[in-house]
Amino acid sequence: MAMRILISTPLYPPEIGGPATDAAALAEQLKKEGVEVVVHPFSAVRKYPRGIRHVLYTWGLFKMSRGASCIVSFDTVSVGLPALITSHLRGIPSIVRVPGDYAWEQGTQRYGVRDSMAEFQTKTYGTRVELLRGVQKLVVTKARLVVAPSDYFADVIAGWGVHKKRLKRIYLGLPANEQVEMPKEEKEAKILFSMGRFVPWKGFPMLIQLLSRMPGWRLVIAGDGPDAIRLEQYAAELKVDDRVTFLGAIPRAQVLGWLRHADAFVYNTHWESFSFQVLEALAAGVPVITTRVGSLPELVTDGVEGVLCEPNDIDAFQQALESIEADASMWQGRSSRAKEKAQRFTIDASAKEFAAEIKSLCT
C-alpha cells in the first residue's frame, strides 16, 4: 500500500507566492517517489468569514486525512493549527515548514507592534499578539519535524522551544526553465526594480525617497498589500510619482521579465527568513542591492554577488547605485557570480531533501 501524505498549505497554484510554489514542488516530488499526495489549500474556505473558515478548514483536513501517514503544513497558524488538531485526532505525525514569524507579522500589520523581529523575540505584548505567539509555539513544539528555510531562521525557531534534533534547515529553491515575459515598453531611463508585499518591514518608502536623489532613474515595484495607497500618496508628496510605477500583483513570468529588463534590483527589507525575491534577482543576473538582515547574508556575500546595506541607509543604497554606472565591469563580475550561486538553490533539490525527511519520519 502506497504511503499517503496530506499537505496543508495557505496557498497553492494557480495562486502565486513562495508557499504555493514550494508546496506544489513537494507534492510533485513525492508523487515521483511513489507517494500518494492529497493537498488541501486554504483557498477552499477563504470566502467564508474569519473563524468559520478555520472550523471548516479543520473539518476538511480531518476528512481528507483518513488513511494518511502524516500531515505536512506550510505555516504555523492559519493552516498549522488545524493540521496539528487533525494530527492529534488521527494519531499521525505533524510536520511543519515555518515560513516566518506569523505572530510578529500579524502584530506589525494589525496590532500596533513597532519593534523589529529580533526585538519581538525578547518582549511581551497584548493579548491578541501573545495568543498568536502561543499558537505558533504550540504548533512547532508539538510537531515531529520542523523545517526552517535558512540557518538564521532555524536559530530563531530554536528560541521558541524546538529541540534542534527535531529542527531541520532546508533551503527553498527556484524552478528550472520558467517562462519569461519581457516588458513591452521602451526603456527611457535606468530602471530600479523591486517587489514584495506592501507591508511596513519591506521598506518601500525609502526606495521612493531614494528616487528623488537619482534623477536619471525610474522605480518599478511589483506587488500589493495594505500599504499600497500610502505608498502611492508618498510618491506624490515627494513629487516623483511620474517616475514610480506600481505594477500590482503580476504573473511570475512578468516578474522574471522585469528582473531581466531592470538595471538594478533594490530591496530595502528589514527582515527575511528566506528571500525568493533576492534569489530570483541573483538568478536573473541583475545587480542586487539589499540589506544585511536575517537570512540575506546566506544568499549574498557583500561585495561578491551584490551589495548589502543597513535597512533604510539611503546613502549606502545611493552609493551602490552610483557604482553601477561608475564601474560596469565590477558589477558584471558580481552578477556572473550571483547567477552561479543561484544555481545551488533549486526547487527540485529542496523538494527532494524535504521528501526524504518526510518518508523517513512517516514510514
Side-chain angles (χ1 to χ4, degrees):
M1 182 176 177
M3 180 187 299
R4 188 169 188 263
I5 304 298
L6 175 59
I7 293 178
S8 169
T9 176
L11 297 169
Y12 200 73
E15 295 173 296
I16 60 175
T21 304
D22 199 32
L26 176 63
E28 185 62 30
Q29 181 63 39
L30 287 167
K31 290 174 184 177
K32 289 179 183 177
E33 298 183 16
V35 176
E36 181 185 351
V37 179
V38 180
V39 180
H40 189 30
F42 198 75
S43 57
V45 300
R46 194 169 281 124
K47 64 182 179 181
Y48 298 104
R50 287 181 181 273
I52 293 175
R53 69 179 72 159
H54 291 86
V55 172
L56 293 174
Y57 186 77
T58 304
W59 175 240
L61 277 180
F62 180 75
K63 290 191 296 182
M64 297 173 71
S65 64
R66 186 184 301 275
S69 302
C70 65
I71 183 168
V72 182
S73 58
F74 278 77
D75 91 352
T76 54
V77 178
S78 64
V79 303
L81 181 58
L84 178 64
I85 293 169
T86 300
S87 72
H88 178 74
L89 294 174
R90 290 292 189 192
I92 58 177
S94 170
I95 299 170
V96 58
R97 184 158 204 163
V98 185
D101 189 331
Y102 186 92
W104 175 77
E105 291 182 7
Q106 292 297 308
T108 300
Q109 292 182 71
R110 300 169 59 193
Y111 304 125
V113 172
R114 294 290 178 263
D115 293 318
S116 69
M117 214 282 297
E119 293 169 330
F120 182 80
Q121 307 305 312
T122 64
K123 297 182 179 181
T124 57
Y125 300 86
T127 302
R128 292 179 176 179
V129 175
E130 291 305 314
L131 177 60
L132 291 174
R133 189 174 359 217
V135 170
Q136 180 167 258
K137 182 176 180 179
L138 176 68
V139 168
V140 297
T141 55
K142 294 298 182 182
R144 288 282 297 278
L145 175 68
V146 179
V147 177
S150 63
D151 290 328
Y152 153 77
F153 204 58
D155 288 339
V156 173
I157 296 170
W160 300 348
V162 178
H163 196 285
K164 290 200 173 183
K165 289 183 178 180
R166 293 189 296 107
L167 184 55
K168 176 77 173 179
R169 188 269 287 148
I170 300 177
Y171 283 124
L172 303 178
L174 298 177
N177 303 317
E178 291 190 277
Q179 181 180 356
V180 177
E181 182 180 338
M182 297 296 294
K184 296 179 174 59
E185 65 165 38
E186 292 291 332
K187 186 186 288 189
E188 297 179 353
K190 287 187 175 295
I191 294 175
L192 299 174
F193 183 67
S194 193
M195 56 181 164
R197 291 189 64 217
F198 294 165
V199 289
W201 60 89
K202 294 300 183 182
F204 289 113
M206 191 280 284
L207 298 184
I208 296 172
Q209 184 182 0
L210 176 65
L211 196 64
S212 65
R213 296 185 175 193
M214 308 293 293
W217 292 73
R218 173 182 161 218
L219 176 62
V220 177
I221 307 176
D224 203 352
D227 288 351
I229 294 176
R230 193 175 308 146
L231 291 173
E232 292 178 7
Q233 291 173 340
Y234 188 57
E237 289 172 12
L238 295 184
K239 296 182 171 53
V240 295
D241 49 315
D242 59 331
R243 292 191 289 126
V244 181
T245 301
F246 294 95
L247 298 175
I250 59 176
R252 185 171 174 79
Q254 292 180 21
V255 168
L256 298 180
W258 275 103
L259 282 169
R260 285 155 179 78
H261 187 62
D263 297 284
F265 174 76
V266 285
Y267 194 51
N268 182 40
T269 182
H270 294 204
W271 97 280
E272 292 289 326
S273 61
F274 184 90
S275 177
F276 268 110
Q277 295 96 325
V278 169
L279 185 56
E280 287 166 340
L282 294 174
V286 62
V288 173
I289 304 166
T290 186
T291 52
R292 57 169 54 85
V293 299
S295 65
L296 292 181
E298 296 175 49
L299 294 176
V300 180
T301 303
D302 187 27
V304 178
E305 299 95 11
V307 169
L308 298 179
C309 310
E310 294 301 321
N312 282 343
D313 188 342
I314 191 169
D315 292 332
F317 271 83
Q318 180 180 357
Q319 290 170 11
L321 281 171
E322 290 172 345
S323 74
I324 294 174
E325 297 180 287
D327 197 339
S329 62
M330 175 183 69
W331 275 99
Q332 286 175 357
R334 288 174 176 173
S335 296
S336 178
R337 290 187 292 271
K339 292 175 73 172
E340 183 178 346
K341 188 169 189 177
Q343 291 175 4
R344 306 177 201 170
F345 298 85
T346 70
I347 201 163
D348 287 344
S350 176
K352 193 167 187 177
E353 187 176 1
F354 198 2
E357 293 289 336
I358 293 169
K359 292 176 71 175
S360 175
L361 180 64
C362 300
T363 300

